[in-house]
Amino acid sequence: MSNLNSLAFFWPELLLSVTILVAIIADLIYVKKDSFKVAFWSLGGMFLTYIAIRIQSVEPTSLFMDTVAHDPFSQFFKILILISTAVVMLMSLVSAELKKYRIGEYFTIMTIMTFGLFLMSSSIDILMVYLSIEIVSIMSFFLAGYLKRNSLSNEASLKYVIYGAFSSGIMLYGLSILFGLTGTTKFFEMQKAISMLGPDSNVALILSAVFILVGFGYKISAVPFHFWTPDVYEGSPATITAYLSIAPKAAGFALMLRFFNQVFGTMPENASASWSAINGLPWPELIAVLSAATMTLGNLVAIQQSSVKRMLAYSSIAHAGYMMMALPMMSNSSIEGIMMYLTMYLFMNLGAFFVVIYVNDQIGGEEFSSFDGLGWKMPYVAIPMTLFMVALTGLPPTAGFVGKFYIFAAVIESGSKFYWLAFVGAINSVISLYYYIRVVKHMYLLGERSDEFINPSSKLVLGILLVLAVPSFVLGWYFSPVAEWISKSTVMFQGL
Amino acid sequence: MDHLLSWIIWLPVIGMGVIAFIPRDKSSLIKQAAALVSGIQLLLAIYLWSVFDASNGNLQFMERAEWIPSFNITYILGVDGLSLPMVFLMALIGFIGIFVSWNITNAVKGYFSLFLLLNTGVMGVFLALDFFLFYIFWEVMLLPMYFLIGMWGGPQREYAAIKFFLYTLAGSVLMLIAILALYFTCGNTFDMLLLMERAPVALDGMLWWGMSAIKVIWVLLFIGFAIKVPVFPFHTWLPLAHVEAPTAISVILAGVLLKLGVYGMLRINYTMLPDGVFWFAGALAVLGLINVIWGAMCALAQKDLKKLVAYSSVNHMGYTLLGMAAVIAASEMNGSNLISAQAGVGGAVFQMFNHGTISAMLFILVGVIYDRAHHRDIEGFGGLATQMPIYTAFVAIAFFAGLGLPGFSGFVSEAMIFIGAFPVFRTVVIISTLGILLNAAYFLWAFQRMFFGPANEKYNEIPEINRREVLTLLPLAIITLILGVYPRPFLDLIASTLNVLIESVVMYGGLAQGF
């Protein structure tokens, strides 16, 4: 579709761009203590964007001369990204650590990042892929270092920049090899060109695939590209940690699913591709091993942490591993599984991070011991936190179980070849119980029972807890609507 | 009455909702509400028993509702002769448990809410006929149990609670894999009735990694259930959890929760994987034997009365396994000995019920003495018979029932198990009768040390067992005595269902050999 015609389908992104401009201008007008009001402009713009997405057609098509796809698949991820951004913005309004700074541009940058994530989940051209990844990365560097008088935050930002630059450099190299082999930047033309390549270019193809995997692996923090995660997650403002653990990961998975399906897969009608386009590398097995390593390492290190925030950082690596379990299958149900997991993970993980933020503000400290006796002091926090921990472990009847159930189902459906992976995943869930339930132990089992009662600092706190806790519980036993939505959303744009 | 089974399952959750609205300082009102809800549940269970058609071996009072169509998940409930005794047992012990925990003072609201939630979880497992639903209820039990042990338990409660949680979860995730494997190999269904029809055919001859699919699924499910029973190498969580748990929770744990494992094996392994039964029966009998001997030996070595009772559970559940294994007597190659199979499996189910009532009594009695003396050291007492005569009488009843004295229900079920298993597992049965001897030894020796001999001066003023405690014990003692001399009503209740079960095991399991 030509550029001008494409604009008619680009409403959500255009609205988001206008929101960014409005936020920048609003930030110029407000004085420092009022600068948080930029959040309302951003939230309002994002609400309009959401409506724009919902009233758009679901007919798959491509925009801007085949660089951006417009399909239910990307719409699903856009909505996920919008929900997580909106919740994190609300969380940021509560968070005390941000109150010391002028906060207007914080919200502006988050909105720009949302724009980048939108493009990431819908790009079908390697230039657009790189561009969108860079938009997201650079905005993340800013946000990670937002606490500029805090040395940990500075360290986080610098580490993030170095790792990010390094991995996107490698990825770019992989993409350029791919361009050299195929002579095009568009996913579908690449796929056709790859299928016609002779065996002598196989080495170059494998090399480029591995390099590209490095870039994606970095984005979803898969082992062995995870080294940045704990330090960045610990140093960043907790709100941004929560955001980084959800939104870029969701977009990263979207990009990865689309790229591997459409470039390296032998793409038939619907999304059930195989990996046969690359010979000479046991590709599904490789990803399966990476997935097993990711969740095992994430879990084993999470056990040893004494800070809840750092524990959640490592556990988010483990969760990336669970989601990767479904990648090697490349079936429709594995895509559904990852989408379902991300949806459930959004609520429970944001909830867990929000509790950490709130407890840090009220009690001071992110250690396990700061949670001692919370069950008596702040039951309105402790009960949702118990729910979030149980959900992250994956116990029914909570949302986390449904996510795991879908992932396991995708693995087992593909036949006995990957049963070992399901075992590794199952054992890892048991390991994760140990550190998640430790939070519950500190809240209820340890610490003197006192009659001290800390009132919630604002209604907004209760509101956010409710918004995250209710889906974490209800979606655990009634997920039909979500399941239907997801099964409609696996439709990707399939080329011309 | 419509939706009787749903009412039985969800009534405690309604009770939880009611308790949530009672202010936390009105603790007696909370207890009364919990007692009322459990009481109604018990009445419903008795009503269910009275309208249940014992001559029909199939599932009755079926309920079916759409739940998650995209994954073929349905809300299916039903009751038969296998689950009905367990439902009654849970309702009874749940009701008694409320009164056993009457003197809980710490966080009363939380305690009784979790107690009721546990009740729902257990009832759900016994009545669910959709594998997904079954799994959800199976897991719903874990969290309340964790809190009940961890918050109201003894000095090592945190360790005991997490150990219980980790062990059971490890078992149940393996079960989840088996459930999904069954789902995808048997035509995308979680409906247990359909799986019973399809699984033996669909899995026949299927190989995974060079192993028979039937064996793989059998072992996965077995480990999940064996941890709950607990079968020998997986039993180490049990003594700890029992000792640290508050009295009422020990009662529920021993009385009902251990049965879930055996129930699961009979309901799922036996019906869906009959070939596996033949493959595994020998191992099952040997594991049962190990449980019997190991549990008894450990019990003999204990100085803590509660630990002794806990190990006696390991010992008693061993007999059930032995009885279950006897089902293969009915197959052709074992001489179509239907009577043996009926006696063995019937004895196993009867033993489950009897152990439920007897171990509940034992734990309540341990709780009674602990409340007064604040320790459970067997050696620390002596001559209690003169100081607490009524208590002594009750302990005597419970101990004698526990060691399988004729006249008590435990004797009937153990005898049935031995009779049933003897034709097929001769050596195992002969060795396991030794367990009976050890069984008598540890109970009688403990009885002698605690109640006879010179009285311990310290406990001259010890208060006698009170009326509330007697009332919690009385129904259990009466059931034990009546079923000891007249077990017929119970055996009639389960007979037709077990015949259907045995037939289906033999019908499929006899066919394929060396699969």
Side-chain angles (χ1 to χ4, degrees), chain A residues 120 133 163 167-168 170-171 209-229 233 248-249 252-253 255-256 260 287 290 294 316-317 320-321 324 327:
Chain A
M120 231 172 120
I133 286 189
Y163 277 104
S167 68
S168 51
I170 292 182
M171 185 179 171
V210 171
F211 284 168
I212 293 166
L213 185 67
V214 173
F216 290 154
Y218 159 82
K219 210 72 239 165
I220 61 168
S221 65
V223 170
F225 320 112
H226 68 282
F227 287 102
W228 60 276
T229 318
Y233 279 19
K249 238 176 224 183
F253 269 105
L255 185 54
M256 213 165 163
F260 284 127
I287 292 192
L290 283 187
T294 304
S316 84
I317 298 180
M324 281 173 73
L327 271 181

Side-chain angles (χ1 to χ4, degrees), chain B residues 478-497:
Chain B
I478 291 171
I479 290 174
T480 315
L481 282 164
I482 290 180
L483 290 181
V485 289
Y486 188 58
R488 184 85 192 271
F490 187 90
L491 297 177
D492 283 348
L493 184 74
I494 60 175
S496 351
T497 304

Side-chain angles (χ1 to χ4, degrees), chain A residues 395 409 416-417 437 445 449 477, chain B residues 67 106 150 162 169 184 209:
Chain A
L395 292 177
S416 57
K417 194 174 170 200
I437 209 76
L445 271 52
R449 190 184 172 187
W477 42 269
Chain B
W67 184 12
N106 180 14
I162 188 71
L169 186 66
F184 286 114
W209 304 72

Side-chain angles (χ1 to χ4, degrees), chain A residues 268-441:
Chain A
E269 286 64 50
N270 213 340
S272 50
S274 74
W275 295 89
S276 54
I278 314 174
N279 299 314
L281 198 65
W283 203 240
E285 284 78 5
L286 182 78
I287 292 192
V289 169
L290 283 187
S291 145
T294 304
M295 57 187 150
T296 311
L297 185 124
N299 272 329
L300 291 183
V301 185
I303 285 183
Q304 302 159 13
Q305 302 307 317
S306 58
S307 146
V308 179
K309 192 173 162 190
R310 213 173 156 86
M311 178 275 275
L312 286 175
Y314 276 106
S315 91
S316 84
I317 298 180
H319 284 281
Y322 298 135
M323 284 183 260
M324 281 173 73
M325 276 169 73
L327 271 181
M329 284 82 227
M330 270 290 200
S331 61
N332 220 355
S333 56
S334 78
I335 296 174
E336 277 183 34
I338 291 174
M339 288 162 108
M340 182 61 95
Y341 202 101
L342 279 168
T343 315
M344 303 302 180
Y345 183 60
L346 186 153
F347 294 108
M348 57 202 190
N349 206 40
L350 284 182
F353 271 112
F354 180 64
V355 170
V356 173
I357 293 167
Y358 187 66
V359 169
N360 191 13
D361 290 351
Q362 297 292 314
I363 299 192
E366 288 158 352
E367 307 298 300
F368 277 97
S369 53
S370 333
F371 284 74
D372 283 357
L374 212 64
W376 317 117
K377 279 185 279 190
M378 294 198 236
Y380 55 91
V381 171
I383 292 170
M385 187 61 170
T386 307
L387 175 67
F388 297 138
M389 290 296 115
V390 170
L392 284 169
T393 314
L395 292 177
T398 61
F401 168 68
V402 177
K404 283 231 169 83
F405 179 77
Y406 265 74
I407 295 279
F408 280 133
V411 175
I412 287 172
E413 189 188 12
S414 71
S416 57
K417 194 174 170 200
F418 284 109
Y419 277 14
W420 65 271
L421 191 60
F423 278 104
V424 176
I427 299 303
N428 267 294
S429 314
V430 181
I431 298 174
S432 72
L433 171 71
Y434 182 77
Y435 57 81
Y436 285 131
I437 209 76
R438 207 170 132 205
V439 179
V440 179
K441 182 174 99 176

Side-chain angles (χ1 to χ4, degrees), chain A residues 376 379 386 390 393-397 401-402 404-406 408-410 412-413 416-420 422-423 426-427 429-431 433-434 437-438 440-441 444-446 449 453 476-480 483-484, chain B residues 24 67-71 73 105-108 132 135-136 139-140 142-143 146-147 150-151 157-158 161-162 165-167 169-171 173-174 176-181 184-185 188 190 207-209 216 220:
Chain A
W376 317 117
T386 307
V390 170
T393 314
L395 292 177
F401 168 68
V402 177
K404 283 231 169 83
F405 179 77
Y406 265 74
F408 280 133
I412 287 172
E413 189 188 12
S416 57
K417 194 174 170 200
F418 284 109
Y419 277 14
W420 65 271
F423 278 104
I427 299 303
S429 314
V430 181
I431 298 174
L433 171 71
Y434 182 77
I437 209 76
R438 207 170 132 205
V440 179
K441 182 174 99 176
Y444 284 99
L445 271 52
L446 301 177
R449 190 184 172 187
F453 186 82
W477 42 269
Y478 188 68
F479 49 94
S480 273
E484 275 163 35
Chain B
R24 65 165 99 182
W67 184 12
I68 316 262
S70 59
F71 241 104
I73 299 168
T105 50
N106 180 14
V108 177
F132 188 87
Y135 186 77
I136 293 217
E139 299 268 271
V140 162
L142 297 184
L143 200 65
Y146 172 80
F147 279 113
M151 288 179 72
R157 55 179 192 253
E158 290 147 30
I162 188 71
F165 209 158
L166 286 172
Y167 259 72
L169 186 66
V173 290
L174 296 182
L176 179 64
I177 292 179
I179 292 174
L180 283 167
F184 286 114
T185 45
N188 296 9
F190 285 114
L207 287 181
W208 290 338
W209 304 72
V216 174
L220 289 177

